[in-house]
Amino acid sequence: MKSLTSFVAAAALMSGISFAKEVKIGVVLPLTGGVAAFGETSKKGLEVAHEQNSKLSNGDSVKLIIVDDRSDKVEAATSVKKLLDKDQVSVILGEVASSNSMAMAPVAEKAKTPMITHASTNPRVTKGKKYVTRACFIDPFQGAVMAKYALDNRLNSAVVVTDAKQDYSVGLSKAFKKAYEASGGKIVKTVLINSGDKDFNAQVASIKAANPDIIAFTGYYNEAALLAKQARNMGLKSPFIGADGVGFPELVKIGGKATEGFMYTDHFNEAAAASAEAKAYVEAYHKKFNGKTADSMGALAADAYGMIIAAMNKCIADKKQSDDKECINTNLRSTKDYKGITGVITINKDGDSVKSAVVNAVKDGKFAYKTTVNP
Amino acid sequence: MDFSIFLQQLVNGASLGSMYALIAIGYTMVYGVLRLINFAHGDFMMVGAFLTLFGYSAGIPFELSVLLAIVGSAFIGVMTDKIAYKPLRDAPKISLLITAIGISFFLENLFIVLFGATPKAFNAPEYLTKVFHVGEIYLPISVIIIPIVTVLILTFILYILYKTKYGMAIRALAFDIPTVKLMGVDADRIIMIVFIIGSSLAAIGGIFYAVSYPSIDPLMGIIVGLKAFAAAVLGGIGSVTGAVLGGFILGFTEIFVVAMFPELGGYKDAFAFFFLILVLLFRPTGIMGEDLERSRF
């Protein structure tokens, strides 16, 4: 190794060219396990963004090192450690699930390495952290959007279904309840499930007894699909509203007809892509993946990547090294009006991004765009 | 809780309990004969569900895929015994137990490599997913079929055990393997039959599970297997009737805990295992178990 380095150094000296550096971004994603579907599309979006732009303004190239954490908290934290110690990355990008990002954040914080999560919406992910930023909106906002949309459609009583194992779901339920009750909605019952469980018949029976106008489900797609199916099997007809955790094709594949009409808030819908950035991204995505729908996880990952590149370029403009962690972090945290794929992103003092949300609903087995809600 | 909801939960509990029971029978029979807690048993159930999906999506009719999956799982069960357990017949029991855990990891990861770790949709044919209304009660057809099939299978197993020569040999093996061998009985053949029965029942349980909860993944056997094991212990490990009883008790406990305390629904597994501990405190050999060393089925 040493001889190789000296060889390269010697070659550089002899040719007299100043070598362009390689800046490494460490990516932690759930590529297998419970929420693997989110990890896979995040990776796809990231690949598209990387192909669109893999060079910094001074010619340095950007390298992605992608690690699978098997949808596991402990593994997520270990992956960050590995990326820092072994691969010497300058920035960490990830994770999807809030529980996993929360396990990663302290490791990045301790190493004073900037971390940006593209899709973890729980407020606690960035809370009190100096080096953690996010490209997505947070659950209090998402919960408020869910509540507002339900009430706008005159769905005035709700049962809240929370996945007790997921920090994401617990936080989102709290946010939904608060916003829903503040605007005059009535929460008639709260029901708990566990991700990984498959039998929700007992929960369905108790929801049925409460007979709500709407069921607010705050967990992930797998449980959403099974719950919807068992609900419809038992003649429970109340509509469902979920959040960004359910918006995935598997919802319809597993749940079938039972998911028809399932509403959910999301970060992005390619049908509503208006800006030039969004259009260019969707086009590149379709080209690379044979017309597959560009989903929100991929778009968010691409935005997180774009924000990192912008921060690095700003460091270069300020005559600093492109891999200066402190500089990258300061720039990431002061991102303002970044024109991203999922909307215009501004990072507030907590490191959270302030931006719009879309509402979608399942129609004929497809995710149809309903409306956009601004903060 | 009004009466119709109570009935609804009763039906749901019977269906869930049946699936645990089917898997628990295999645990208990293998334990009865080999004194081995076959931790790979939960994974046979996953294998059954995946083989069915595999056949079905390759265009083979559903019924035939089910049959092939059962045969396939039985084959994998027998091969597991031949390759992994048989060389260890005279080794300490702990080596056998650790081997079983190894087989379990192997099967799980093999299926992750083959099929990927993302949950797969299991879309059973229309006639199995139909729902009947009886007054206020909703009965998916699977909920009716599953307990009936379970009871039929139990009757069949008890018939084999108590009315046939093979059954007599299995019961004799449970007492004392060397003596039975001295009597001229081919012990390995009988053990093979036990594995065939156990793995096919696990596969049937797995297929029922997939029809009821149509999302399957390579790790689905872990927690269900654990609960079926708990059911077998609850009923008295080594006793077939006990395993079925334990399965039903566990199924009903889970369903009714959630039904009566919906806000505690996230802790239903804790309740199931708490109940297990409670029973074992008063009857360490389980409900039907008489003696840990000499099971009588």
Side-chain angles (χ1 to χ4, degrees):
Chain A
M1 193 64 209
K2 201 180 162 198
S3 64
L4 185 71
T5 331
S6 47
F7 172 74
V8 171
L13 274 176
M14 273 187 281
S15 57
I17 307 166
S18 75
F19 261 80
K21 256 192 312 202
E22 189 180 66
V23 191
K24 290 179 194 158
I25 301 179
V27 185
V28 183
L29 289 174
L31 296 174
T32 56
V35 287
F38 288 142
E40 268 166 44
T41 57
S42 298
K43 186 168 162 243
K44 283 191 173 139
L46 212 49
E47 282 168 0
V48 170
H50 187 249
E51 267 173 31
Q52 280 180 321
N53 186 10
S54 64
K55 284 263 188 293
L56 298 176
S57 55
N58 67 349
D60 286 359
S61 60
V62 180
K63 192 183 174 199
L64 294 175
I65 300 174
I66 302 176
V67 185
D68 172 25
D69 63 18
R70 307 201 305 253
S71 309
D72 182 80
K73 297 180 206 191
V74 181
E75 197 69 26
T78 318
S79 304
V80 175
K81 226 168 155 26
K82 180 206 157 250
L83 285 168
L84 290 172
D85 297 345
K86 188 164 159 271
D87 301 310
Q88 308 272 325
V89 300
S90 313
V91 188
I92 302 280
L93 194 162
E95 223 257 14
V96 179
S98 294
S99 298
N100 299 350
S101 291
M102 269 184 240
M104 289 159 59
V107 186
E109 184 83 4
K110 206 174 153 209
K112 296 197 169 131
T113 303
M115 164 175 152
I116 179 165
T117 165
H118 60 298
S120 293
T121 48
N122 190 304
R124 280 162 56 209
V125 172
T126 52
K127 200 172 181 190
K129 300 277 186 300
K130 278 202 195 98
Y131 291 87
V132 185
T133 317
R134 75 176 106 214
C136 52
F137 47 64
I138 55 173
D139 289 332
F141 172 63
Q142 184 163 229
V145 173
M146 283 168 73
K148 183 174 182 301
Y149 191 76
L151 290 169
D152 283 353
N153 285 287
R154 301 224 180 82
L155 302 163
N156 298 321
S157 66
V159 166
V160 180
V161 182
T162 306
D163 184 336
K165 262 195 192 167
Q166 298 291 345
D167 294 323
Y168 159 75
S169 179
V170 174
L172 187 57
S173 289
K174 223 163 111 190
F176 173 82
K177 274 186 199 166
K178 204 173 146 202
Y180 194 71
E181 281 176 335
S183 308
K186 194 165 168 263
I187 307 279
V188 286
K189 201 175 245 174
T190 304
V191 174
L192 290 188
I193 60 160
N194 266 337
S195 41
D197 277 358
K198 307 221 158 157
D199 187 286
F200 304 124
N201 281 314
Q203 284 93 334
V204 168
S206 92
I207 298 171
K208 211 176 148 192
N211 192 26
D213 288 344
I214 191 162
I215 303 159
F217 177 85
T218 60
Y220 290 115
Y221 60 93
N222 200 12
E223 286 72 29
L226 290 170
L227 180 69
K229 195 153 190 165
Q230 288 164 35
R232 298 302 179 243
N233 271 353
M234 279 171 72
L236 173 62
K237 295 199 178 68
S238 316
F240 281 91
I241 189 164
D244 58 338
V246 302
F248 203 79
E250 251 68 24
L251 175 76
V252 180
K253 263 191 223 155
I254 296 167
K257 274 186 246 142
T259 57
E260 199 60 28
F262 206 119
M263 298 165 270
Y264 67 95
T265 58
D266 210 343
H267 307 267
F268 176 72
N269 186 321
E270 66 168 40
S275 66
E277 290 81 7
K279 279 182 182 151
Y281 167 80
V282 170
E283 198 180 309
Y285 195 98
H286 286 180
K287 210 171 140 202
K288 187 166 163 70
F289 299 110
N290 301 324
K292 261 201 165 177
T293 311
D295 76 329
S296 55
M297 288 300 136
L300 283 174
D303 271 350
Y305 175 80
M307 286 164 71
I308 296 173
I309 301 296
M312 286 174 172
N313 280 335
K314 213 169 150 217
C315 288
I316 296 165
D318 293 342
K319 303 266 180 290
K320 283 188 178 141
Q321 290 294 321
S322 57
D323 58 358
D324 182 335
K325 290 181 180 178
E326 284 296 332
C327 172
I328 296 171
N329 188 52
T330 314
N331 290 341
L332 266 182
R333 292 292 291 241
S334 56
T335 301
K336 196 168 184 302
D337 296 332
Y338 172 79
K339 287 197 185 61
I341 297 152
T342 59
V344 179
I345 300 170
T346 296
I347 299 296
N348 67 11
K349 62 176 178 15
D350 301 319
D352 298 331
S353 109
V354 180
K355 60 200 271 214
S356 56
V358 297
V359 179
N360 298 332
V362 179
K363 199 177 170 229
D364 302 324
K366 295 255 173 348
F367 296 140
Y369 170 72
K370 288 274 186 196
T371 182
T372 301
V373 182
N374 287 312
Chain B
M1 200 188 320
D2 64 48
F3 191 62
S4 70
I5 293 184
F6 175 77
L7 277 181
Q8 176 84 60
Q9 305 289 26
L10 207 62
V11 177
N12 292 338
S15 164
L16 185 65
S18 301
M19 290 180 247
Y20 289 150
L22 282 172
I23 302 163
I25 292 176
Y27 265 116
T28 226
M29 284 186 76
V30 170
Y31 179 86
V33 173
L34 291 182
R35 295 289 178 279
L36 160 70
I37 296 162
N38 183 13
F39 273 112
H41 193 69
D43 300 298
F44 292 159
M45 150 208 177
M46 174 273 291
V47 169
F50 264 91
L51 289 184
T52 308
L53 178 71
F54 189 57
Y56 189 40
S57 44
I60 303 171
F62 185 76
E63 299 75 14
L64 192 60
S65 323
V66 166
L67 210 64
L68 287 176
I70 294 171
V71 174
S73 309
F75 178 74
I76 291 180
V78 170
M79 288 322 279
T80 304
D81 176 49
K82 288 256 183 289
I83 296 168
Y85 301 154
K86 201 179 159 198
L88 295 171
R89 287 273 196 269
D90 300 319
K93 295 292 175 221
I94 192 80
S95 314
L96 210 54
L97 187 73
I98 291 166
T99 310
I101 296 171
I103 292 288
S104 165
F105 283 168
F106 171 74
L107 284 176
E108 283 156 17
N109 287 294
L110 178 71
F111 276 73
I112 287 181
V113 172
L114 290 180
F115 296 94
T118 349
K120 298 262 175 307
F122 187 99
N123 292 313
E126 198 85 346
Y127 68 88
L128 274 177
T129 49
K130 261 207 200 106
V131 181
F132 289 107
H133 299 210
V134 184
E136 294 238 338
I137 310 173
Y138 286 77
L139 296 172
I141 194 144
S142 56
V143 165
I144 308 166
I145 295 177
I146 292 170
I148 295 176
V149 173
T150 306
V151 170
L152 287 179
I153 288 176
L154 176 67
T155 321
F156 177 66
I157 302 267
L158 289 177
Y159 173 80
I160 291 186
L161 276 178
Y162 288 99
K163 301 284 177 198
T164 65
K165 269 198 169 158
Y166 285 114
M168 195 192 278
I170 293 173
R171 282 183 293 139
L173 277 185
F175 265 104
D176 192 338
I177 297 183
T179 314
V180 173
K181 275 186 178 164
L182 287 176
M183 302 291 161
V185 176
D186 185 352
D188 286 325
R189 218 172 94 112
I190 303 297
I191 290 170
M192 187 176 88
I193 290 172
V194 168
F195 269 92
I196 289 177
I197 296 176
S199 328
S200 3
L201 292 192
I204 295 173
I207 294 163
F208 281 158
Y209 200 75
V211 169
S212 310
Y213 316 115
S215 150
I216 62 173
D217 64 271
L219 303 182
M220 67 191 269
I222 299 179
I223 189 76
V224 185
L226 213 56
K227 283 190 193 155
F229 173 59
V233 175
L234 185 65
I237 194 144
S239 156
V240 172
T241 333
V244 175
L245 196 67
F248 277 106
I249 291 175
L250 212 59
F252 285 127
T253 317
E254 264 186 35
I255 294 279
F256 277 98
V257 162
V258 186
M260 287 191 278
F261 316 102
E263 62 283 358
L264 293 179
Y267 305 104
K268 67 171 187 179
D269 293 357
F271 276 92
F273 288 111
F274 177 73
F275 195 65
L276 172 73
I277 293 171
L278 213 62
V279 170
L280 291 185
L281 271 179
F282 293 101
R283 271 196 75 89
T285 52
I287 297 170
M288 306 281 284
E290 285 170 6
D291 181 348
L292 281 177
E293 278 310 303
R294 282 177 201 284
S295 39
R296 283 146 222 253
F297 290 112

